[in-house]
Structures are given as C-alpha cells and as structure tokens.
Amino acid sequence: MRGLNFSQTPVQRPSLRNPHDVNLPPSKVPVLLQWVGIALFIALTVASGVFSYGNHWRRATFTLGVALAWLSVLRLVCDSSVMGVFAVRSRKFDVTFTAALSALMLYLSATVESLGS
C-alpha cells in the first residue's frame, strides 16, 4: 500500500499534517505499535456496536467508554500522521475532549438501570 508506512518514521503527507501539531516531536512509540493501538480502538468501537445491536446497553456504553479512554491515550502517544482523522485539533484539546466523553460514557454505564438483566 502506498499510503501506509510501517517503518520507524512516519511519512508526512501534506493532506494528513495537522497544523496544530507542527512543533510536536515525533512519537517514541514504533509506528507498527501505533497502528496496532488504532486497530484495538476500532475493534472496541465495533464491539460496542455489536453489544448495542444485541440490546446489551450497559456493556455497549462501558465498551465505548473504554474505547474513548484508549483513544485519549493514543492521541497522547501517537503521531498525527498516523492518527489521521482522529487528530482533529490540538493534542491537548483532543485528549481533553475524548477523556471527558469517556468519563461520561463510563458514568452512564455505571448508573444505567439494569432493567432486571
């Protein structure tokens, strides 16, 4: 694949450069591990959808909360070029926003009534 580079240094394509992250140093995490982390985030998000489809609302909200917490960690340690569309604004804003959403989802999963299940 032309767009993916699993070497130690990510390729900065002009379309994936985040103007908010220009002065940030490159990540110390190998690029392959960064991609594995993103794959884990996507797997957790899909699992949340599967739980939701199966009417397991508490599991779905908990899994989505964990996925968003993991996305916060990824945004802290991964390069913007690897994160792609998950690097929306500055690193600080993205981490704060996804951590707040994660806390909200985890709070909902803890307080939602089980409805006898």
Side-chain angles (χ1 to χ4, degrees), residues 8 22 26 30 44 47 61 65 73 79 97 99 110 117:
Q8 287 292 77
V22 172
L44 285 168
T61 54
V73 171
D79 291 316
F97 185 73
S117 59

Side-chain angles (χ1 to χ4, degrees), residues 21-105:
D21 294 345
V22 172
N23 297 324
L24 292 177
S27 176
K28 295 179 181 177
V29 177
V31 175
L32 181 60
L33 283 179
Q34 293 179 39
W35 283 107
V36 169
I38 291 172
L40 180 61
F41 166 73
I42 291 170
L44 285 168
T45 305
V46 168
S48 174
V50 169
F51 286 141
S52 176
Y53 183 73
N55 288 327
H56 298 286
W57 299 106
R58 292 181 85 176
R59 291 179 191 163
T61 54
F62 178 78
T63 307
L64 189 58
V66 169
L68 288 168
W70 181 244
L71 184 61
S72 294
V73 171
L74 286 176
R75 185 64 177 109
L76 277 175
V77 299
C78 293
D79 291 316
S80 294
S81 61
V82 175
M83 291 296 293
V85 297
F86 299 118
V88 180
R89 300 280 183 192
S90 68
R91 186 175 281 178
K92 183 187 286 187
F93 177 84
D94 288 346
V95 168
T96 304
F97 185 73
T98 54
L101 284 179
S102 171
L104 177 65
M105 294 304 292

